[in-house]
Amino acid sequence: MKDFILKRMASIILPFICIYGFYVILHGHVSPGGSFAGGIIVGLSFIAYSTIYGIEKGRKKLPEKVLVAAESYGTLWYGIMGLVGIIKGVPFLANKLAGVDLGVPGTLNSGGLISFIGFGVGIRVASTMVTLFFTMMEEE
Amino acid sequence: MISAISTNLPVFIIIAPLFVAFVLPTLAKRKRLVENLVLSVEVLMLLGICYLASIVLFRKDIPIIYQMGGWPAPWGIELKVGSLGTFFLLTIAIVSLPVALFARGNLTHEVGGKERIARFYVLYLLLVGALAGMALTNDLFNVYVLVEVATLSCCGLVSARNHPRAAKATFTYLILATLGSCLVMGGIGFIYIITGHLNMEFASRELSIIWQNNPRVVWMAFSFMLVGFGVKSALFPLHVWLPDAHSVAPSPASAILSGLAVKGYIICLLKVLYNVFGQTLMQAYSVHKILVLVGMVAIIAGSISALTQKELKRRLAFSTVAQVGYIFLGFGLLNTRGLAGALFYLASHAVIKSTLFLSAAAMQTATGKKEIKDLSGIGRKMPITAAAFTVSSLGLTGIPLFSGFVGKWNLLQGSMESGSILPISVIIAGSVLCGAYLFPVIRIAYFETAPEKDWKDPNLPQKLALILLSAVIVVLGVVPGPFLELANRAAAELLVLR
Amino acid sequence: MSEVIKKLIINYPYFAAFILFAIGALTVLTRSNLFKKLIGINIMESAVFLMFVAAGNIRGGYVPILNGNNPQTLFINPLPSALMLTGIVVSVSVTAFALALILRLYRSYGTTDLRRIYKMGNEVSE
């Protein structure tokens, strides 16, 4: 696409969309939304980037290696956070029992391990969305 | 360290295959490493499951309840290691290890390059993890999630071979299976709406009190569950996706799909029927009669359709439809003998059908042909493969000293206890039909002259897998002891009136 | 009769879910176009989601977010909504997988009509 206005506007807006996605991911436990919704917003910013600037440029921003690694380790991160409980001697995926400080309800630091888990899931969702988009576009 | 592992063993058995599955895509370039990782996680699972089984067999304070995240039952998710769960876990471990071994020797030929092989293993391990979860979970919504994970990985496995036929079969399977899981989710929704619980035990307790106030909702839940899981486990009139999907998949995949995946859904249905609704409700709604009836129809119709098939793999796929009928028949008998027989038959069919599929695949790979008539004289050129095929067909038919016999014997006794003559005659007729569609293959393989061709037994891992599986069939037939004991206990636990 | 109508009006979300489910199932089973089948599946899934979410709703309840000083005491049940988020994720992945399959089928058969694809049989090779 050679639309000047679109490209200008995208270069201004897209970073904010991406950051907003991370905001939704990290505030999943205190507000509506969460890792899935936030991950989709993050993925969407990259998808919009590649539709506006072309697939090749999008590919350059996020090479396949990065996507595969984000997908694998994002999910693995979830499991590792679950193992924290086992290391502390309490069941899998334990949060408060594992001795994590839960903070004041309503603030950002009130989820314990949940925000960490959500971060991993969000990254995985974002990379999956982008991978799906690239696969579908390149199948043509 | 060791105590941490042993107390958390139930959860480790589920997450170990999932962990490895998530790491594999990043290691796709190193084929050997991928294969070794898969095999080692399978062996570790087998060891852990044997340990769990020994605990369940020799200690009295079962079932072991594992609370995820330390949350107690009505709020948290529970894993329940009872006799039924251990029984199915043992089946999973015994079947999936040899199949992974076979895949090591066979996949390059059937699936293609390194990346595709890595993806195949990802799906394989996801399926194994989901099945292990189904065996242990005690939470209704967990059942739905695990069923979906298993369904999607099954679809991926079916389409692993890059061929338009595979895509076609996968699409049909995907649509029907998703329809089934919609129904399952709807059924779970009905149970949740009237009981307010997702934990099986609490839901069951609540249901036994209030079911008379909401008779229609319970009826809806029953029918949604039966049809939903029936589609997924290829119950006779709903089996249309199975022959295409199972015959077009790469051979290790069709072995595990026919052997284990179908059984996973059956175990889920069993848990829902007996642990949630319970025996009283089943009798009140005559569900057991439906199960027996559908089982009998499935046995006869599946066997007859298998008889008309000319391709070996399709014949085996239709035979799965018939054998699923036996299991459902046993579920409907409502006595310990019949239920234990059905469970034992489930395990033995898992082993036997994987052996059949794997040996058929080995023959197909050697000859390059799909039809049964092209296999003449293969018995002398590929002795181990043909022997494995023979052992497993004898087992499936129900000849004494092979594992299928023990299951069928218990099923027969169960039907006698229940007092109706029809199931007995159908079981016997099914065995005869089973012989009628499997023994011609053996006759062609051994007693016809072979063309002058260079057919050889497959390579070492494949041979090893076939030998292992055939050994399991014989061992289960000769000394069914501990396995049958587990099945008996599971049946007794399921039939407890609550 | 008016009793039934009253019940229907009170429980209208379930009624809507039932109708949606029927529409979806009918579309899946009768249409031979691959895309229409997929859309039917999605409609069916939304029907079940609607049923779950309606089951969790309490009229007059508030969003169940604890932030320390919330004066409300009546909250809706958040569990079904959370469960349906999982359901939505599953439905997204099913849709993506099915779309990829449709692309594959279209490339090798040149049509998106399942009946025609089956008529072509197994002659099409790679």
Side-chain angles (χ1 to χ4, degrees), chain B residues 48-113:
Chain B
I49 289 169
C50 286
Y51 177 72
L52 268 188
S54 69
I55 290 179
V56 169
L57 265 178
F58 299 118
R59 255 176 42 190
K60 289 285 171 258
D61 55 337
I62 51 167
I64 306 162
I65 301 274
Y66 186 91
Q67 292 164 346
M68 295 291 255
W71 292 95
W75 300 285
I77 294 169
E78 277 183 348
L79 299 180
K80 181 173 148 199
V81 190
S83 312
L84 178 67
T86 332
F87 180 80
F88 190 53
L89 276 183
L90 265 177
T91 316
I92 293 170
I94 288 173
V95 175
S96 65
L97 174 63
V99 174
L101 198 65
F102 190 92
R104 186 191 174 98
N106 167 287
L107 274 189
T108 331
H109 172 76
E110 289 206 55
V111 174

Side-chain angles (χ1 to χ4, degrees), chain A residues 64-65 68-69 71-73 75-76 78-80 83 86 90-95 97 124, chain B residues 4 8 11-12 15 18-20 22-26 29 66-71 115 119:
Chain A
E64 202 176 342
K65 249 189 195 166
V68 170
E71 256 179 68
S72 307
Y73 295 127
T75 328
L76 203 64
Y78 193 126
I80 291 167
L83 289 182
I86 288 179
V90 283
F92 186 69
L93 275 178
N95 194 358
L97 281 180
R124 154 124 219 180
Chain B
N8 292 307
V11 81
F12 274 126
I15 61 173
L18 300 182
F19 261 44
V20 178
F22 296 141
V23 181
L24 286 188
T26 52
K29 296 244 159 57
Y66 186 91
Q67 292 164 346
M68 295 291 255
W71 292 95
E115 305 250 321
R119 267 180 239 162

Side-chain angles (χ1 to χ4, degrees), chain B residues 26 40 43 83 85 145 151 189 203 214 219 234 281 317 326 334 350 381 392 402 411 421 469-470 476:
Chain B
T26 52
S40 47
V43 170
S83 312
V145 172
T151 306
N214 307 290
W219 183 75
L281 260 76
Y326 284 103
L334 283 189
K381 301 220 166 177
S392 42
F402 297 100
L411 271 177
I421 194 80
L469 281 167
S470 321
L476 280 185

Side-chain angles (χ1 to χ4, degrees), chain A residues 41-109:
Chain A
I41 296 172
V42 173
L44 208 75
S45 67
F46 285 105
I47 291 174
Y49 179 86
S50 4
T51 36
I52 292 167
Y53 289 89
I55 299 281
E56 297 78 29
K57 272 202 165 174
R59 269 279 187 214
K60 240 180 234 165
K61 268 257 154 37
L62 282 176
E64 202 176 342
K65 249 189 195 166
V66 177
L67 284 175
V68 170
E71 256 179 68
S72 307
Y73 295 127
T75 328
L76 203 64
W77 180 246
Y78 193 126
I80 291 167
M81 285 294 117
L83 289 182
V84 168
I86 288 179
I87 290 166
K88 295 262 180 172
V90 283
F92 186 69
L93 275 178
N95 194 358
K96 195 182 177 183
L97 281 180
V100 184
D101 178 28
L102 284 194
V104 188
T107 57
L108 181 58
N109 181 27

Side-chain angles (χ1 to χ4, degrees), chain B residues 31-49:
Chain B
K31 182 162 162 277
R32 282 285 133 196
L33 183 66
V34 167
E35 288 166 347
N36 290 340
L37 260 177
V38 172
L39 272 184
S40 47
V41 76
E42 289 282 348
V43 170
L44 281 178
M45 263 182 87
L46 181 63
L47 291 178
I49 289 169

Side-chain angles (χ1 to χ4, degrees), chain B residues 51 74 93 132 162 180 210 239 381 398 417 477:
Chain B
Y51 177 72
N162 195 7
I210 55 151
H239 70 283
K381 301 220 166 177
E417 267 179 47

Side-chain angles (χ1 to χ4, degrees), chain B residues 310-323:
Chain B
K310 291 201 176 67
E311 272 180 40
L312 186 52
K313 264 183 141 183
R314 278 185 80 84
R315 185 173 280 198
L316 295 178
F318 269 108
S319 149
T320 301
V321 177
Q323 312 303 321

